[in-house]
Amino acid sequence: MKISRRVTLVGVTALLAGATAVLSGGPAPAASFVSAASPAIAAPPIPTFSSPAAFDVSPPLRDLAKRARPVLETQLPPERGPAVTDTGFTGDGAVQQGGAAQPLVTPSIPSPLLTFEGLRNTDNPFLVAPPDPVGDVGPNNYVEMVNLVFAVYSKTGQRLLGPTTLGTLWDGFAVNDCTDLSGDPIVLYDQLENRWILTQFTTRGPTYYNCVAVSQTGDPTGAYYRYAFSTGVNFPDYPKYGVWTNSYVLTTREFGPTTEYGIGVYALEKNKMINGEPNARMVRFFLDSAIVPISLMGDGLLPADIDGNRRPRDGAATPLVGTMDDGGPYGASFDALNIYELSVQWRANPTASFNLTSQLPVASFDSIFPCAPTSRDCLPQPGVTDPNRYLDILSYRQRPTWRLAYRNFGTYEAMVTNQSVEARPGTAGVRWYEIRRTNGAFSLYQQGTYAPADGVHRWMGSIAMDRKGDMGLGYSVVNATDVYPGIRYTGRLNGDPLGEMTLGEAVLINGTGSQLTTVSRWGDYTSMNVDPTDDCTFWYVNEYYQTTSLAGWQTRIGSFRLPGC
């Protein structure tokens, strides 16, 4: 969501019920094999199948972008969330050791192959914070989306199209709500089918939609098949998508007209969408506290998003991952990753199931950062003395951060994701995880918290794996004195000591200014992706500041490759 709201969540309970887990007597080590339990939920959620609310085929996007159209920003419904209170640092059981005098490792991570300027706040028709920068890379292009515009680039950084408002993509569409500037965009490149998927939610109401455009070809500036899938009276906040074999999987954080709250899980009929069939179906599961205790679903789930050319086995369920903190606002009794599986068969009479499969206890972490005067005013900036202008860590949202990057390595499947945490007292860090599925069973293969003891906050990360199993992790950085909001990355090679980012840290771009707006928001997500042409080159997009200003955010896109790939 692109605008800050503060409302207390009501009408839901915070009880951990019907779940069991195997816990050790103390914190798990930074790298550990953890056996999964088999939790139960109150009742199996019921699938609801439906057809699109609207469908058409767009003119080429390169032509749509030339059309002048009136631009009206729509007002977002109020965001609801739990009130959070910091009760002191509870420790981190997976923090990678090291200090300012003794760095974690001698830096050996390569410098960027290239970086180029992405979209910025002045590209928007309105001054909007946060940008929610997201992108993906294809054979010939990089596509970036932010609130409330998008652009298409060559892989040398030349802007080929844009900045274009999000609503332009749906210009002339039957569901006029899709033409608004609503936001929370996601872009995906489906390398299995050579298609681009561009999305946003709607905010008008009283009926809400997820607007999904699928390119006709691998050219992101060409024509798109456009769909609107209704979420009814529920506002579908924070939509997150994943490419799977037979579906595009979507999760949302949904709010009803009064106090209703739950997590929406959707599968969209991929084969029909890539063929431009108007009757492509959607299946929906809605998880509320009557079905799944709030501690088990928190503030959202991430669906697996396939990287690489090796597909999951035919019929394999789509994994989805959530996170929970025993010091968080939802009453979790231990720190864990919750693993769900979504199975869909798109037959003449389709079937679908959604189950909580495993809970993976993790090393202790603290997601509640000491912030004041509100839970969003957290990370200090150089030259900024007003705590109302500190940056939002967003760690109190009980969910992993974009993406849940999936790979099939043949003998096992691996997924990596991350979340922001209080890694050391008053210092933000990035907790990352590698989850494996072997013969259908999930385990936590390794975990670590990257937070060198140098006084620099690291947060708002995104992580992915290349074809060799090496990892690239990007994130935002800032401190109170001499590190302005900027972008860095780290990495590890497959076979390195478990739980460690072994290659040191590189700079994508240094910030040279601070954010002065009293809206403390700092993005909801960033995006680390892997180039499908070599399956080795990482591409990362994040926001930074070049000039101290009220709302002068910029984005930077860069690529790098780890040694030996």
Side-chain angles (χ1 to χ4, degrees), residues 136-157:
D136 209 344
V137 59
N140 304 302
N141 300 101
Y142 188 91
V143 179
E144 180 190 15
M145 302 182 84
V146 300
N147 292 320
L148 299 160
V149 293
F150 69 98
V152 178
Y153 304 86
S154 73
K155 288 168 73 173
T156 59

Side-chain angles (χ1 to χ4, degrees), residues 12 29 31 92 211 376 532 547:
V12 296
D92 190 297
C211 307
R376 293 191 187 275
T547 303

Side-chain angles (χ1 to χ4, degrees), residues 5 7 53 80 100 150 158 173 182 223 295 357 383 392 414 417 429 480 502:
R5 300 283 194 271
V7 182
R80 304 177 208 159
F150 69 98
Q158 178 187 3
F173 190 54
S182 293
S295 58
T357 302
D392 187 1
T417 191
T502 55

Side-chain angles (χ1 to χ4, degrees), residues 259-322:
T259 62
E260 301 89 351
Y261 171 75
I263 301 299
V265 178
Y266 302 81
L268 311 179
E269 193 172 8
K270 173 178 168 177
N271 290 339
K272 287 189 176 181
M273 293 179 73
I274 63 177
N275 291 319
E277 298 184 35
N279 61 342
R281 293 166 292 184
M282 175 186 80
V283 62
R284 175 184 189 242
F285 292 90
F286 182 67
L287 314 178
D288 61 17
S289 58
I291 297 173
V292 180
I294 186 68
S295 58
L296 295 182
M297 60 182 178
D299 288 306
L301 308 176
L302 277 183
D305 181 35
I306 295 174
D307 287 340
N309 294 314
R310 188 192 292 266
R311 298 169 182 257
R313 64 173 175 78
D314 289 343
T318 310
L320 300 95
V321 174

